[in-house]
Amino acid sequence: MANKYVPEPFRIKMVEPIKMLTRQEREEKIKEAHYNMFGLKGEDCYIDLLTDSGTNAMSSFQWAGVMQGDEAYAGASSYYRLRAAGQDIFGYQYIQPVHQGRAAEKVLFPVLLGPGKFAVSNMFFDTTRAHVELAGARAIDCVVEEAKNPAKRAPFKGNMDVKKLEELILEHGAENIGLVVMTITNNSAGGQPVSLENMRQVSQICKKYNIPLDIDAARFAENAYFVKRDEEECKNMSIKEIIRCMFSYGDMFTMSAKKDGIVNIGGLIGIKDEKSPLILKIKANCISYEGFYTYGGLAGRDMEALAIGLYEGINDDYLEYRIGQMEYLASRLDDAGIAYQSPVGGHGVFVDAAAMFPQIPYYEFPGQVLGVELYKEAGIRACDIGSYMLGNDPDTGKQLHADFEFTRLAIPRRVYTQAHLDIIADALIAIKERAGQINHGYRITWEPPILRHFQAHLEPVQQ
């Protein structure tokens, strides 16, 4: 039976019309897009689950803040309000705004990484991996083994494999590990959370070998919710206390604020120690790539909205509703026998496309197959998190085989209702019923060298 839907802790004040194209129209649109979900127009998608990044609905307080934005080029009051919010929530002394998460990586990573260096993470997301490679380094994933079995229900499947982490450091040499990155929640592993204890253990290893520890903090609030719910030592702590404790183990953070900041644009870099020599280098890179360091590519109005959104994203009622949406959709899939990365994570449901299409090999991209079928079935746009997204080995050029073949249903914050979630579930059930008739996937006809899944052209593999 489906979980009881957690009612929205807000009222709807403005609506945005959407419409469903006919099945024939959708089949034509996805073909015109070269079977790439990023090639579709937003207006041609009935329910858009491509990402939860920047697709969120801002509150009346945030929109009011937009009107108070200080657009001074240097030293705007909006910057100081954003800085104060970041210092208060995360406990870091230096807060650098940037326009989004990959900008944070572009500014910070070249300072710490270069040719011959390695970066180790519980699991890199696509753009983070790309910025490691663009800096000349190589990325290594080190997630716990439980995460690689989507059917296994275990808490904190986003954790770093601590034993393997230390083995990797010894294998490559501590002096060659430029950075350890803890992604909270672990997006590529299915939005799975990281425990406070695991963060503590990783921090101890990094200190032992004098390796900087960066927190990829895009979904820090959702991670804190799971920690409070499932980690015994944290049950009586507030969400903010958990965040402060979690971040105390890192040296720095990079953040796409377009997720848990509940804004449409924005990012942050945080440095714990205001005397860190990294800060001058960060400021220099920010001025070169993003803009003066007191705005970092953001308008004053965007900094105002983010300063407010950071607090709204750690509200207990909001987080209960937010995770409740995922649990409701996942429970409908449980009832239908549809496999996903379980237990459900924080920002979406990651459907196990390999389980739905066992007849389709990884190099024909099962996650992309399910994404295309969802669009054709009900106008739902989703995203492959599998071998298609992982891409080719940067040294050999050969197709990599991902640990998972997921189709990610990323749910924007405060946007869709229970009725929309039911449409998603019904569409997946309909596809499952005919999954055995789909015997071939897709092949790539053109791809760029970096982050191919944003632009690549595909075509169906003919029988």
Side-chain angles (χ1 to χ4, degrees):
M1 291 294 291
N3 283 343
K4 182 179 179 182
Y5 185 83
V6 177
E8 288 80 0
F10 53 81
R11 294 180 296 200
I12 296 170
K13 198 168 189 177
M14 186 185 79
V15 296
E16 179 181 357
I18 55 176
K19 68 173 184 176
M20 176 86 82
L21 301 179
T22 66
R23 172 83 185 213
Q24 182 179 349
E25 288 172 329
R26 295 196 298 273
E27 289 180 351
E28 291 171 357
K29 295 294 184 183
I30 193 63
K31 184 178 180 181
E32 290 171 5
H34 301 285
Y35 299 96
N36 187 327
M37 312 311 294
F38 290 89
L40 291 166
K41 292 181 179 179
E43 64 186 22
D44 293 333
C45 303
Y46 180 61
I47 299 175
D48 200 344
L49 311 180
L50 186 68
T51 181
D52 62 316
S53 178
T55 57
N56 308 296
M58 294 204 302
S59 70
S60 57
F61 293 102
Q62 287 176 291
W63 282 111
V66 164
M67 300 307 295
Q68 298 181 61
D70 179 358
E71 305 303 341
Y73 184 90
S77 58
S78 299
Y79 160 73
Y80 290 106
R81 278 189 281 274
L82 175 57
R83 185 180 73 169
Q87 290 171 335
D88 177 43
I89 292 171
F90 302 109
Y92 281 33
Q93 295 176 319
Y94 182 75
I95 300 293
Q96 173 64 63
V98 289
H99 84 272
Q100 63 182 82
R102 68 193 65 172
E105 295 159 2
K106 180 182 179 182
V107 167
L108 178 65
F109 283 11
V111 177
L112 298 164
L113 299 171
K117 295 284 188 179
F118 297 87
V120 183
S121 176
N122 51 339
M123 188 159 271
F124 285 102
F125 195 57
D126 57 349
T127 49
T128 313
R129 182 184 300 275
H131 277 102
V132 170
E133 294 174 359
L134 287 168
R138 291 293 176 260
I140 304 174
D141 290 331
C142 193
V143 71
V144 291
E145 286 300 312
E146 299 97 297
K148 298 176 184 179
N149 181 358
K152 183 174 182 178
R153 291 182 178 267
F156 301 112
K157 288 171 76 171
N159 279 354
M160 182 83 80
D161 185 329
V162 177
K163 183 175 182 290
K164 184 179 176 183
L165 171 63
E166 190 155 21
E167 290 172 353
L168 286 168
I169 293 170
L170 295 173
E171 176 187 347
H172 294 287
E175 69 280 6
N176 296 318
I177 308 295
L179 192 62
V180 170
V181 180
M182 285 291 276
T183 308
I184 59 171
T185 57
N186 191 329
N187 186 6
S188 292
Q192 295 294 308
V194 171
S195 71
L196 184 62
E197 175 59 24
N198 188 246
M199 181 68 79
R200 184 182 296 123
Q201 292 172 354
V202 171
S203 176
Q204 289 168 352
I205 290 173
C206 288
K207 285 180 169 58
K208 177 179 177 180
Y209 293 100
N210 196 30
I211 299 170
L213 176 56
D214 173 48
I215 299 174
D216 181 342
R219 298 173 179 89
F220 73 98
E222 292 168 5
N223 199 92
Y225 177 90
F226 287 113
V227 168
K228 181 177 176 63
R229 190 189 71 181
D230 297 333
E231 200 161 1
E232 191 62 37
E233 69 172 287
C234 302
K235 290 190 180 296
N236 295 321
M237 296 171 65
S238 69
I239 293 293
K240 186 176 175 183
E241 286 171 339
I242 292 169
I243 292 165
R244 276 290 195 112
C245 193
M246 180 76 75
F247 279 74
S248 71
Y249 294 116
D251 299 302
M252 63 202 74
F253 71 82
T254 45
M255 178 183 180
S256 169
K258 296 164 66 178
K259 285 83 167 176
D260 276 355
I262 325 184
V263 289
N264 305 125
I265 197 71
L268 295 174
I269 300 170
I271 304 294
K272 184 190 291 183
D273 182 4
E274 65 182 352
K275 295 180 181 178
S276 170
L278 286 174
I279 292 173
L280 282 178
K281 297 176 182 179
I282 288 169
K283 285 182 176 179
N285 280 355
C286 187
I287 291 169
S288 297
Y289 302 141
E290 289 288 288
F292 191 61
Y293 65 83
T294 61
Y295 76 92
L298 291 176
R301 55 183 173 268
D302 297 316
M303 291 191 283
E304 287 284 355
L306 177 52
I308 296 165
L310 286 170
Y311 285 106
E312 292 185 352
I314 64 175
N315 177 270
D316 290 87
D317 291 339
Y318 158 76
L319 285 169
E320 182 183 4
Y321 147 77
R322 170 68 177 161
I323 306 304
Q325 279 198 312
M326 311 309 146
E327 292 175 337
Y328 175 81
L329 178 54
S331 71
R332 291 247 9 230
L333 302 192
D334 285 335
D335 291 344
I338 295 174
Y340 59 91
Q341 176 66 295
S342 59
V344 72
H347 67 285
V349 178
F350 288 58
V351 181
D352 188 348
M356 186 171 287
F357 303 111
Q359 68 275 24
I360 297 177
Y362 74 93
Y363 49 83
E364 292 184 10
F365 315 129
Q368 187 71 6
V369 172
L370 181 52
V372 172
E373 292 301 315
L374 271 170
Y375 181 72
K376 291 193 292 187
E377 180 70 31
I380 298 164
R381 177 159 64 168
C383 179
D384 168 281
I385 305 289
S387 296
Y388 172 57
M389 186 191 77
L390 186 59
N392 301 318
D393 186 293
D395 297 313
T396 67
K398 293 183 178 180
Q399 171 66 54
L400 294 168
H401 188 178
D403 289 323
F404 321 104
E405 301 296 342
F406 290 143
T407 302
R408 183 184 72 172
L409 312 175
I411 311 296
R413 294 160 183 80
R414 305 190 294 207
V415 171
Y416 292 118
T417 67
Q418 180 180 357
H420 293 114
L421 299 188
D422 284 331
I423 289 171
I424 297 164
D426 292 343
L428 284 166
I429 292 167
I431 294 167
K432 180 177 184 288
E433 290 174 352
R434 55 180 170 81
Q437 303 168 25
I438 302 171
N439 294 313
H440 295 277
Y442 293 87
R443 69 179 188 92
I444 295 172
T445 61
W446 173 83
E447 60 182 299
I450 299 288
L451 294 170
R452 71 178 185 190
H453 61 289
F454 287 118
Q455 301 183 72
H457 294 178
L458 301 99
E459 66 178 13
V461 174
Q462 300 300 321
Q463 297 186 17

